[in-house]
Amino acid sequence: MANPTIELKGIRKSFGPVDVLKGVDMQVFAGKVSALVGDNGAGKSTLIKGLSGAQPYDAGEVFFDGSPVAINSPKDASALGIEVVYQDLALCENLDIVQNMFLGREEVHQGMLNQAEMEKHAAATLGSLSVRTMKSVRQKVSSLSGGQRQTVAIARAVLQKAKVVILDEPTAALGVAQTEQVLNLVRRLADSGVAVIIISHNLADVFQVCDYINVLYLGTMTAQLETAKTNHPDVVAYITGTKSDTKIAEESVA
């Protein structure tokens, strides 16, 4: 196994008297899709917000490509190549695909927006992900389906040359065909060498596209599994707390 792109060791986070993360360890690998699953309140969002720099961890170590790093702000995360696609996608419906992909990071030439270059790069990025469902990169986002919007949000992360892409419930509220489209895109993204983390409650999606499954239970990492070596009932048991990997649980609270 290659060295992990991201390695978390002993991550802790509290809000007042409430310990949300209790010494969490996790590894994420380039070219692989890693699921982060758990019931509501397990600590998934808090763990990801720490990686994104939105809510820095209280304690623990973060390693990126084997080197220790400090992620204290979204700017720190972006500089490392960590991009997050949140469930609400953060797209502007009144803008077109190109404008959304470059929003806040527009290319400028001689004091003016370089529309031609941005359009070219947007089209190339979508093409690199084998996206062929858009009629034009100048379509308004308001005219796109849910699956297409998710595609634009993922492509925006790829455009920034992300090494790690974190997807928060990427198939929530999507139909069957659109879900399949997004999952295929996620697989192609990982196959291009990006480390992908998916937060999801949909275990069918997890088993279809993920290489690894990390299970959080009440702030503790209770299981780190190879998808091919586990099954749906076992993962549900880990999520509900009726089963745990004793070694991982002991290490997490040590």
Side-chain angles (χ1 to χ4, degrees):
M1 177 61 69
N3 292 327
T5 299
I6 288 179
E7 184 172 13
L8 305 178
K9 291 184 177 181
I11 296 300
R12 296 181 179 275
K13 181 69 178 180
S14 300
F15 295 98
V18 181
D19 295 327
V20 180
L21 299 176
K22 307 169 184 177
V24 172
D25 295 346
M26 188 171 77
Q27 294 182 330
V28 181
F29 298 91
K32 303 294 182 181
V33 184
S34 299
L36 182 60
V37 301
D39 211 345
N40 292 335
K44 303 185 303 297
S45 294
T46 301
L47 188 66
I48 293 309
K49 286 178 180 177
L51 272 179
S52 73
Q55 291 178 344
Y57 302 129
D58 294 335
E61 296 177 290
V62 181
F63 295 86
F64 196 91
D65 284 339
S67 300
V69 296
I71 304 177
N72 296 313
S73 69
K75 186 177 180 179
D76 291 341
S78 182
L80 289 169
I82 300 173
E83 296 287 335
V84 184
V85 180
Y86 292 103
Q87 190 171 347
D88 63 7
L89 302 182
L91 297 176
C92 297
E93 293 198 356
N94 61 316
L95 301 180
D96 64 31
I97 293 171
V98 175
Q99 291 168 321
N100 269 280
M101 288 178 65
F102 282 91
L103 191 61
R105 300 169 178 176
E106 292 83 0
E107 293 187 4
V108 177
H109 179 65
Q110 295 182 347
M112 300 181 65
L113 292 177
N114 195 337
Q115 298 286 359
E117 279 299 302
M118 289 191 289
E119 185 171 324
K120 183 175 74 174
H121 290 157
T125 300
L126 290 167
S128 71
L129 294 170
S130 300
V131 176
R132 300 184 179 87
T133 59
M134 316 290 191
K135 292 180 180 178
S136 167
V137 290
R138 287 302 180 181
Q139 279 182 265
K140 291 286 181 66
V141 164
S142 59
S143 70
L144 302 180
S145 68
Q148 289 173 324
R149 293 181 189 205
Q150 185 68 248
T151 297
V152 171
I154 293 172
R156 180 173 58 189
V158 174
L159 184 67
Q160 303 307 318
K161 296 185 170 36
K163 291 184 177 180
V164 179
V165 174
I166 302 170
L167 305 172
D168 182 14
E169 299 286 355
T171 61
L174 297 184
V176 174
Q178 293 179 349
T179 294
E180 189 71 17
Q181 172 190 331
V182 170
L183 293 180
N184 288 338
L185 176 60
V186 169
R187 189 68 260 172
R188 291 195 296 272
L189 183 59
D191 290 343
S192 71
V194 176
V196 181
I197 302 173
I198 288 183
I199 303 173
S200 181
H201 285 94
N202 191 322
L203 291 185
D205 292 352
V206 167
F207 273 90
Q208 180 176 337
V209 77
C210 295
D211 301 290
Y212 299 100
I213 302 174
N214 301 274
V215 186
L216 276 175
Y217 177 72
L218 297 179
T220 299
M221 188 68 76
T222 59
Q224 295 172 295
L225 312 162
E226 287 188 53
T227 307
K229 296 181 180 179
T230 189
N231 56 61
H232 194 285
D234 275 356
V235 174
V236 171
Y238 284 119
I239 289 173
T240 57
T242 58
K243 182 176 182 178
S244 66
D245 186 319
T246 305
K247 181 180 178 182
I248 290 178
E250 288 176 349
E251 289 176 350
S252 296
V253 298

